């Protein structure tokens, strides 16, 4: 916006670039009109459907449909209805948006995942649409909620998210009917009634001009088609021009003529009155990911300062071009009804190269913010601190908590930015940097497990770019990451397929790390599938590569993995031979902890093999190495194992002494003799070890 006061067709702009305040500030806190529609919708909740009349049980929750074109207040009506009936649904209100402002359909799996997250049921990474829909229905089975599905693209989207319980209510918003869903009677919206339309104008412009000339206000409402979005733009235009009469605007719009929709006419007038700099920022907002804007996004798109962008965005709210988002951070939304108009302007008034440059600036700004977001968590790294201090102040976060809050709030827009960058196809270098920084920031602030669903989607995008650009090394990395996430969520066969594909990509890239990692992961997948012979074979292939490259630490670890596969298969001689090799490797590396663990596992295998005396001696040696390694938990676990062995050998007194020693090491929180973990810490690996012991 201009830095000094200017006059634009009678509009006064303050010295800071802000439009002057009006007598009554625009607000959406008080709902206007739609009394008839609300009454009909509320009555429809208890109406007997066709299934009930036919004596059949209704197949799903009652669905209320609010239909109409964007810009006619569909979502506002839905929110008001939800507000009025919410008390009857004690488990709360859930919301999901099924179409992005740019018209992109939201996949059902994404919507279901978000709803499950709101319910406190995080879904496993990579789960498909059917699994997530079923999980959502189960989560809602014993709840009484209102589910608001905004901007549904079609009946299939809504049907996949419907609760089976009749105790819940679904309010769907759509442009047309939802054919295929039973017992749905649409409430179709047109314009507001005249009284409500005039009241909305008054709210935007202030009461004086409307009060002194109510007929002109009614005429303006008619010219605007009583459409709320058009009325807000008209009201914002008038609010910026206190000297202009309502009748003048009504006449000007009538003079436009033509058969175009009222919203397009009002938008054209409002846009034409903007200063050049503001007009350019507005049309570039068509590029905002998911229609979500903050000062940094606007600054990156337009190449202006963050402060100027913030001022301009606030002005756009006053003018009706943007909706403020209820958020601790300044955030705005481009109304879906304006998105096509903005995109048309951007394409007609900006050269393709300029649009691409604006996208690149926005993505580069996002990358730098993500770098800053991650760097502030690395408080012990002098390099990270130096890098952070080298960034402009406007890109720095005051604290790790502030960075995490920004990341959480901006998460939908950041994920959308990654998807758009990949879909663009011409900004792959920036897209790869963005996704790399997004993964690192999410892991730093949320942890790998909590961020896994988002990470899965990002890694799939990385794979898309790598395949498009024929980058085998990055293909291998993405496939390995996806395989790991599949493995963690129990989709072992899918993980195995990913790992094999990663191995092929790693070989094409001549990348020894990727091939070795892939071979070891293939072995791990076979072990999980209880194909221990193949597991040991693949571990052996990975070991041969590590030995050839003299990677001793990895080699020692792989000897242990081979030994574990042989243990599961009951080949205890082979298991002991490989554990001895692992022990030798740890000794050469002077790895005291590794020696203690290898000896511990050798003692376990000797016990499985029916050689308790050898197991006792090995376990005693392991205790000494665990003491040297200062591994109290392993010491305690080994003391318990010694106690168990001594009891089997007929020496209960000595067994009691070892149990006392274990208790002294860890107090009352005794570890499991098999795993070295307390009951609260035992995970799936502990179950695996116990099951192997039980089988043998």
């Amino acid at each position: 916006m201009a830095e000094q006061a200017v006059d634009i067709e009678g509009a006064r702009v303050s010295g800071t670039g802000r439009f002057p305040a009006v007598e009554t500030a625009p607000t959406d806190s008080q709902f206007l009109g739609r009394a008839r529609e609300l009454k009909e919708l509320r009555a429809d909740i208890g109406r007997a459907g066709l299934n009930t009349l036919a004596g059949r049980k209704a197949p799903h929750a009652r669905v209320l449909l609010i239909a109409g074109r964007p810009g006619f207040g569909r979502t506002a009506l839905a929110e008001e209805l939800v507000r009025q009936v919410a008390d009857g649904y004690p488990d709360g209100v859930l919301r999901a948006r099924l179409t992005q402002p740019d018209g992109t359909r939201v996949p059902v799996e994404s919507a279901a995942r978000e709803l499950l997250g709101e319910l406190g049921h995080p879904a496993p990474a990579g789960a498909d649409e059917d699994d997530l829909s079923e999980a959502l229905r189960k989560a809602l089975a014993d709840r009484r909620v209102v589910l608001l599905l905004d901007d549904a693209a079609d009946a299939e989207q809504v049907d996949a998210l419907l609760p089976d319980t009749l105790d819940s209510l679904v309010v769907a918003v759509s442009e047309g009917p939802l054919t295929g869903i039973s017992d749905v009677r649409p409430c179709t919206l047109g314009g507001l009634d005249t009284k409500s339309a005039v009241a909305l104008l008054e709210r935007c412009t202030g009461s004086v001009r409307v009060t002194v000339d109510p007929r002109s206000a009614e005429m303006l409402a008619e010219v605007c088609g009583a459409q709320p979005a058009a009325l807000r733009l008209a009201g914002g235009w008038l609010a910026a021009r206190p000297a202009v009469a309502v009748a003048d605007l009504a006449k000007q719009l009538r003079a436009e003529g033509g058969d175009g929709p009222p919203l397009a006419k009002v938008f054209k007038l409002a846009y034409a009155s903007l200063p050049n700099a503001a007009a350019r920022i507005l049309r570039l907002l068509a590029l905002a990911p998911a229609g979500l804007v903050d000062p940094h996004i606007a600054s990156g798109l337009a190449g202006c300062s963050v402060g100027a962008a913030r001022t301009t965005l606030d002005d756009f709210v006053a003018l009706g071009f943007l909706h403020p988002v209820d958020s601790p951070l300044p955030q705005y939304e481009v109304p879906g009804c304006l998105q096509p108009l903005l995109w048309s302007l951007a394409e007609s008034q900006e050269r393709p190269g300029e649009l691409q440059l604006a996208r690149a600036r926005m993505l580069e700004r996002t990358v730098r913010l993500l770098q800053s977001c991650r760097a502030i968590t690395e408080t012990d790294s002098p390099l990270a601190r130096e890098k952070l201090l080298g960034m402009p102040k406007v890109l720095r976060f005051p604290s790790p908590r502030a960075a995490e809050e920004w990341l959480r709030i901006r998460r939908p827009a950041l994920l959308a930015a990654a998807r758009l960058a990949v879909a663009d196809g011409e900004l792959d270098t920036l897209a790869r940097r963005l996704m790399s920084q997004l993964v690192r920031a999410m892991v730093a602030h949320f942890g790998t497990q909590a961020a896994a669903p988002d990470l899965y989607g990002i890694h799939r995008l990385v794979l898309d770019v790598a395949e498009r650009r024929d980058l085998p090394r990055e293909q291998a990395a993405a496939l390995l990451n996806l395989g790991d996430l599949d493995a963690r969520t129990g989709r072992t066969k899918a993980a195995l397929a990913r790992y094999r594909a990663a191995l092929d990509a790693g070989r094409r890239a001549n990348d020894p790390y990727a091939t070795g990692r892939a071979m070891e992961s293939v072995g791990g997948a076979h072990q999980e599938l209880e194909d221990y012979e193949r597991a040991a074979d693949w571990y052996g292939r990975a070991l041969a590569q590590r030995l050839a490259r003299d990677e001793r630490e990895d080699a020692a670890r792989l000897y242990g993995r081979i030994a574990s596969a042989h243990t599961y298969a009951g080949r205890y001689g082979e298991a002991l031979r490989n554990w001895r090799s692992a022990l030798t490797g740890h000794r050469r590396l002077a790895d005291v902890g590794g020696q203690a663990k290898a000896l511990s596992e050798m003692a376990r295998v000797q016990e499985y093999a029916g050689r308790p005396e050898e197991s006792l001696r090995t376990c005693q040696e392991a205790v000494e190495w665990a003491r040297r390694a200062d591994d109290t938990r392993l010491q305690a676990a080994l003391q318990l194992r010694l106690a168990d062995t001594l009891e089997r050998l007929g020496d209960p007194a000595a067994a009691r002494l070892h149990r006392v020693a274990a208790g002294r090491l860890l107090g009352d929180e005794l570890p499991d003799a098999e795993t070295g973990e307390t009951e609260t810490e035992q995970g799936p690996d502990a179950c695996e070890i116990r099951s192997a012991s039980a089988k043998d």
Side-chain angles (χ1 to χ4, degrees):
M1 303 293 285
E3 295 297 330
Q4 58 185 4
V6 294
D7 184 79
I8 307 203
E9 295 184 5
R12 291 207 305 270
V13 183
S14 66
T16 59
R18 304 297 302 275
F19 286 92
V22 295
E23 294 173 338
T24 306
T27 174
D28 291 325
S29 60
Q30 295 177 342
F31 185 76
L32 289 171
R34 306 296 190 192
R36 177 182 56 80
E37 291 88 343
L38 283 167
K39 182 179 179 181
E40 290 178 356
L41 286 164
R42 296 196 65 169
D44 205 25
I45 296 175
R47 180 177 59 86
L50 295 177
N51 286 282
T52 304
L53 294 174
R56 300 189 301 269
K57 183 184 178 214
H60 50 66
R62 163 66 79 191
V63 180
L64 304 181
L65 172 60
I66 299 172
R69 296 195 306 278
F72 278 88
R74 305 173 305 174
T75 302
L77 175 59
E79 289 286 0
E80 176 63 15
L81 173 65
V82 167
R83 186 191 67 78
Q84 291 186 12
V85 303
D87 288 345
Y89 298 88
D91 292 313
V93 179
L94 301 175
R95 293 173 174 83
R97 185 169 189 166
L98 303 185
T99 303
Q100 300 287 10
D102 63 1
T104 304
R105 174 193 171 108
V106 174
V108 168
E109 54 264 35
S110 298
R113 190 181 296 281
E114 293 294 331
L115 290 169
L116 284 165
E118 286 188 48
L119 289 166
H121 291 264
D128 61 22
E129 177 182 320
D130 291 340
D131 290 339
L132 290 168
S133 296
E134 182 61 27
L136 179 62
R137 288 192 176 95
K138 286 182 179 178
L140 293 173
D142 57 352
R143 297 174 188 261
R144 189 173 171 83
V145 302
V146 180
L147 179 57
L148 174 54
L149 302 177
D150 195 9
D151 215 357
D154 51 47
E156 287 73 17
Q157 265 186 320
V158 174
D159 186 58
L161 302 172
L162 290 183
D164 289 333
T165 173
L166 302 181
D167 294 329
S168 291
L169 173 68
V170 176
V171 179
V173 175
S174 176
E175 191 162 348
L178 297 177
T179 306
I181 299 179
S182 60
D183 290 341
V184 178
R185 184 175 61 184
C187 173
T188 305
L189 291 190
L192 292 168
D193 62 272
T194 302
K195 181 180 178 181
S196 300
V198 171
L200 181 54
L201 272 176
E202 183 176 334
R203 179 181 293 180
C204 295
T205 64
S207 61
V208 175
R209 281 180 286 180
V210 172
T211 302
V212 300
D213 193 359
R215 290 192 177 276
S216 293
E218 291 176 3
M219 183 171 65
L220 179 57
E222 181 184 349
V223 172
C224 291
Q227 183 178 2
L231 290 166
R232 287 193 183 91
L233 288 175
W237 189 91
L238 286 168
R241 295 160 180 79
V244 178
V246 176
D248 294 336
L249 176 56
K251 290 174 184 176
Q252 189 170 347
L253 289 173
R254 279 192 183 279
E256 291 289 328
D259 297 326
L263 178 61
K265 293 179 184 178
V266 183
F267 175 82
K268 180 181 177 182
L269 175 69
Y271 172 79
S273 65
L274 290 174
N276 290 336
R280 180 169 177 271
I281 293 176
L282 181 62
R283 59 180 177 263
L284 288 177
L285 294 185
L287 304 177
L292 295 171
V293 188
D294 70 357
H296 280 286
I297 290 291
S299 169
L301 287 170
C304 64
S305 72
V306 175
R310 170 71 186 272
T311 298
T312 304
L313 293 175
D314 286 337
D315 288 342
F316 287 162
V317 171
L319 292 169
F321 289 118
L322 293 179
H323 292 158
V325 175
D326 184 15
S327 164
L329 300 176
Q331 193 168 205
Y332 313 82
E333 183 181 45
V334 179
C337 59
L338 298 186
Q339 187 79 29
L341 299 171
L342 292 177
W343 183 244
S344 177
L345 282 171
E347 285 189 311
S348 63
Q349 298 192 29
E350 302 284 343
R351 292 192 296 270
E354 291 173 339
L355 291 176
Q356 197 71 317
L357 180 60
R359 283 194 191 94
R361 282 195 306 262
M362 176 187 67
L363 293 175
E364 182 63 40
R365 174 67 60 86
T366 306
V367 167
R368 298 189 69 191
L369 281 166
L370 287 167
Q371 288 173 334
S372 174
C373 181
R374 177 178 60 89
I376 200 169
T377 66
E378 301 172 344
T379 53
D380 297 333
S381 169
L383 185 62
R385 285 200 302 271
E386 182 181 349
K387 188 173 184 180
L388 194 60
L389 291 173
M391 291 183 174
K393 188 175 180 180
V394 73
L395 296 178
R396 288 186 243 153
F397 295 94
S399 66
R401 184 187 293 262
E404 181 179 340
E405 183 180 40
W406 173 84
L407 184 62
R408 194 179 305 280
I409 290 171
R410 292 295 296 166
R411 173 183 154 272
L414 292 168
L415 293 172
R419 291 192 295 268
L420 289 173
V422 172
D424 182 276
E426 297 181 8
L427 296 170
D428 283 347
T429 300
L430 262 175
R432 288 154 60 199
R433 290 177 57 215
L434 172 63
M435 291 185 287
S436 172
Q437 293 301 326
L438 185 52
V439 167
R440 294 179 183 182
M442 284 187 162
V443 170
H445 285 283
F446 306 146
T448 302
Q449 184 172 350
D454 289 335
L455 298 182
Y456 198 89
I458 296 169
H459 291 316
R460 284 201 293 197
L461 291 173
V462 172
L463 182 60
D464 289 343
V465 175
E467 289 176 343
R468 182 166 66 211
R469 294 290 181 179
D470 193 23
L471 302 170
R473 179 170 289 148
E474 293 193 15
Q475 278 182 257
L479 287 163
L480 286 169
N481 287 324
L482 288 167
D484 290 344
L485 291 169
D486 281 328
R488 285 181 196 144
T489 51
R491 296 189 302 277
T492 310
K493 291 184 178 178
L496 180 58
R498 300 274 197 197
Y499 292 142
R500 286 186 176 277
L503 178 59
D504 293 338
R507 284 170 173 165
R508 284 198 298 119
N510 196 25
D511 184 341
Y513 170 79
T515 53
R517 165 87 154 73
M519 286 188 285
E520 184 174 350
S521 297
V522 169
H526 280 302
Q527 182 167 320
E528 185 68 24
L529 293 170
E530 300 185 2
D531 189 344
Y532 303 121
E533 186 173 347
R534 286 186 179 177
D537 175 56
W538 279 100
Y539 289 148
R541 298 185 199 191
L543 173 63
Q545 186 192 66
R546 300 296 189 188
L547 291 172
R549 295 173 58 82
D550 197 28
E551 295 171 348
R552 299 181 182 182
E553 186 176 348
D554 287 322
R557 178 176 50 76
L558 278 163
Y559 275 123
R561 297 207 74 174
I562 294 170
S564 70
H566 286 309
T567 302
Y568 282 120
R571 296 190 290 269
Y572 301 127
E574 286 293 313
L576 285 171
R577 184 173 67 81
N578 279 280
W579 276 122
R580 289 191 186 99
S581 297
L583 179 62
T584 301
H586 289 303
R587 280 176 177 161
R588 288 175 179 170
L589 292 166
D591 180 358
V592 178
Q595 293 178 68
K597 289 172 184 174
L599 285 164
S600 169
E601 293 302 324
M602 284 177 62
R604 191 198 313 275
V605 175
Q606 287 166 339
E607 185 179 342
Y608 293 164
R611 293 146 62 177
E613 291 84 359
E614 288 183 36
S615 175
L616 187 65
R617 289 193 296 272
T618 305
C619 199
Q620 288 169 335
E621 186 180 356
V623 169
E624 175 59 23
W625 283 102
R627 186 187 63 77
R628 294 183 191 181
D630 199 24
D631 190 338
T632 305
R633 194 169 300 281
L634 181 58
Q635 279 182 264
L638 289 166
Q639 293 282 6
L640 288 175
R641 192 182 300 161
L642 282 169
D644 291 342
T645 304
L646 286 165
E647 282 182 347
R648 282 193 285 271
L649 291 173
D651 192 348
R656 279 196 299 274
L657 290 175
H658 284 288
R659 291 194 189 280
V660 170
R664 192 179 301 119
L665 284 167
L666 290 178
D668 294 332
E669 194 179 31
L670 289 179
D672 186 275
E674 293 288 325
T675 67
E677 295 178 334
T678 62
E679 288 185 13
T680 57
E681 293 173 330
Q682 291 172 16
D685 291 341
C687 297
E688 289 177 4
I689 294 170
R690 281 197 295 273
S691 64
S693 175
K695 283 190 289 185
D696 297 323

